[in-house]
Amino acid sequence: MPSPVDARIKLLYERSASSKKVVESIREEASRVGREVRIMNFCGTHEWTITHYGIRSLMPENVKLIAGPGCPVCITPGYYVDTLVKLALEGYHVLTYGDSFRLPGSSLKQPRSLYDAKAYGGRVTVVYGFNDAIELASRNKGETFVFFAVGFETTMPSTAVPLVRGNLPENLLIFPAYRLTPPVMRFLLEQHPEARIDGVIAPGHVSSVIGWRSWSFLPEEFGVPTVVAGFEPLDVLLAVLLILKMINARRPSIVNEYTRVVKPEGNVGAREAMSRAYKVVDAYWRGIGVIPSSGAVHREEFKKHDANARLGLEERVADDKLPGCKCPEVTLGLATPLDCPLFMKACKPGNPYGPCMVSVEGTCRIWAENVPAISSTLLKNK
């Protein structure tokens, strides 16, 4: 009986004339390259599409699709979680996205996450977005709310715009954990040449905010062909084909495949609000290190809503790489989930040990939930 993945591949390839044509063109271009080609898909949603639809199985043997640092929850410092767990147990009402609810802190001791903190009696509520946080704080003036602002540039406008407009309740504080995406690609290419990246599929969601021009440095400075792509299987296949064509033509460039959403300059209004509310700083990425100009903190005029400033918290770098966990290597494309001895053993979606198993954009979580054959085999060998 065919597996669910086999069925999805059949639907994608055999029943789609466009996909079939693109796959055939990919194979033709790949044969002309004459060497291994490693293409990194930055976004976690791209990784989901690639894995869910079995796109790797359609690639020629010399084309490798590598998952990159496209999961903001996965790289959020464990120290942030430790701090918010403490606040929740001290009576502050912590608000979090569902993706970061079970994110483990830097300690193996309980409570490790906001999920655990809630079980221990802490005040923790999962919200869909920052508007929910505003509504909760407005209705409950007697409580102090702390919003865990996790995300890349895609989610930054959700706090930046209300901050700039000045319509936040006084009892709502923001704990900023934002990270910026182009700097981590620069860091990866400069500090980890062993990743051997020949092409990049840049994130469509992020690029809709910051614009496709933000990725021009990849071909211009590093000679890496780059395609900003959408999230349908055909989008990803087209991105791979365009990268292979640029490699064969020896003309690295930036191509915007996602023209239906992404503009050269991005969302100007959102970018202006982000620039006014936040300033760019060097920032720590979990298990990876401090990356220059990759974080965002509130500007002075907005410090009244900054949790660190209002509650006397200090930013610091702590060792938060969990023993045995290979999330940092997976995040940088230096390993796959199958290289981790804990994958689908001590670390599963229902009981995540490392951060890459928590979020729906985490590579380990994606592989665990979308590759049944891999998961079942590993579970049998437990």
Side-chain angles (χ1 to χ4, degrees):
M1 181 177 179
S3 73
V5 175
D6 292 334
R8 291 193 288 266
I9 295 171
K10 185 179 181 67
L11 181 66
L12 167 66
Y13 183 63
E14 294 185 4
R15 299 185 185 180
S16 170
S18 296
S19 294
K20 186 172 183 178
K21 185 176 180 180
V22 174
V23 169
E24 290 171 352
S25 296
I26 286 172
R27 290 172 178 167
E28 180 181 342
E29 292 291 336
S31 68
R32 292 176 55 204
V33 175
R35 61 175 175 82
E36 182 178 274
V37 176
R38 291 169 60 84
I39 299 174
M40 174 170 280
N41 52 279
F42 186 102
C43 186
T45 310
H46 282 143
E47 179 59 29
W48 185 91
T49 299
I50 288 167
T51 306
H52 182 78
Y53 289 101
I55 289 177
R56 284 187 177 90
S57 68
L58 299 175
M59 293 296 103
E61 191 170 336
N62 66 321
V63 175
K64 309 299 181 185
L65 301 183
I66 312 300
C71 169
V73 171
C74 302
I75 54 82
T76 296
Y79 168 68
Y80 289 180
V81 177
D82 300 340
T83 300
L84 290 167
V85 165
K86 185 173 183 291
L87 291 177
L89 295 174
E90 289 176 349
Y92 294 96
H93 197 147
V94 176
L95 307 177
T96 179
Y97 294 123
D99 261 15
S100 47
F101 187 38
R102 301 191 71 165
L103 178 63
S106 59
S107 173
L108 297 179
K109 298 178 181 178
Q110 292 288 351
R112 295 184 68 214
S113 65
L114 290 170
Y115 173 85
D116 295 333
K118 183 165 184 161
Y120 276 69
R123 298 283 287 159
V124 181
T125 298
V126 174
V127 294
Y128 183 75
F130 191 57
N131 285 338
D132 292 343
I134 295 173
E135 184 180 342
L136 275 171
S138 298
R139 291 202 319 258
N140 299 276
K141 298 292 187 181
E143 291 187 75
T144 300
F145 291 83
V146 181
F147 177 73
F148 193 11
V150 174
F152 292 146
E153 295 95 335
T154 317
T155 56
M156 282 182 69
S158 68
T159 57
V161 172
L163 278 169
V164 169
R165 290 176 178 172
N167 56 359
L168 297 186
E170 292 289 329
N171 61 326
L172 177 57
L173 308 180
I174 300 170
F175 189 97
Y178 293 126
R179 294 295 183 265
L180 309 179
T181 51
V184 74
M185 281 306 306
R186 180 181 293 278
F187 172 86
L188 178 58
L189 291 169
E190 289 179 344
Q191 302 299 322
H192 291 281
E194 70 273 23
R196 295 182 291 113
I197 305 303
D198 298 301
V200 171
I201 303 176
H205 293 149
V206 165
S207 300
S208 69
V209 176
I210 67 175
W212 62 257
R213 286 194 182 120
S214 299
W215 303 100
S216 297
F217 73 95
L218 290 172
E220 291 173 2
E221 297 181 36
F222 296 95
V224 176
T226 303
V227 177
V228 175
F231 301 99
E232 296 298 324
L234 185 56
D235 289 316
V236 175
L237 291 172
L238 284 169
V240 172
L241 177 59
L242 288 166
I243 288 170
L244 290 172
K245 283 180 174 292
M246 284 188 274
I247 290 173
N248 280 325
R250 293 179 174 82
R251 292 179 182 173
S253 184
I254 174 79
V255 177
N256 178 25
E257 184 274 341
Y258 205 20
T259 55
R260 59 191 186 273
V261 173
V262 177
K263 299 177 181 179
E265 70 282 0
N267 186 320
V268 175
R271 293 184 71 175
E272 288 176 350
M274 290 159 57
S275 178
R276 183 176 165 189
Y278 294 97
K279 66 177 180 179
V280 176
V281 295
D282 298 346
Y284 176 72
W285 291 53
R286 183 169 193 160
I288 295 172
V290 175
I291 298 178
S293 303
S294 67
V297 297
H298 292 111
R299 294 191 182 276
E300 196 62 37
E301 64 182 292
F302 302 108
K303 286 294 179 70
K304 67 178 181 179
H305 287 292
D306 182 86
N308 291 301
R310 283 272 296 274
L311 303 180
L313 306 175
E314 293 183 3
E315 177 78 25
R316 65 181 176 87
V317 174
D319 182 9
D320 53 9
K321 184 173 180 181
L322 300 170
C325 177
K326 286 193 172 293
C327 277
E329 291 87 349
V330 171
T331 298
L332 293 174
L334 304 176
T336 74
L338 297 183
D339 296 317
C340 181
L342 306 179
F343 179 70
M344 294 307 292
K345 296 174 184 175
C347 188
K348 304 175 186 177
N351 185 30
Y353 173 80
C356 293
M357 189 62 86
V358 176
S359 169
V360 294
E361 293 188 322
T363 301
C364 292
R365 172 82 174 264
I366 291 169
W367 281 41
E369 292 186 338
N370 287 286
V371 190
I374 291 177
S375 301
S376 60
T377 299
L378 288 169
L379 286 171
K380 287 178 183 177
N381 295 333
K382 180 180 175 182

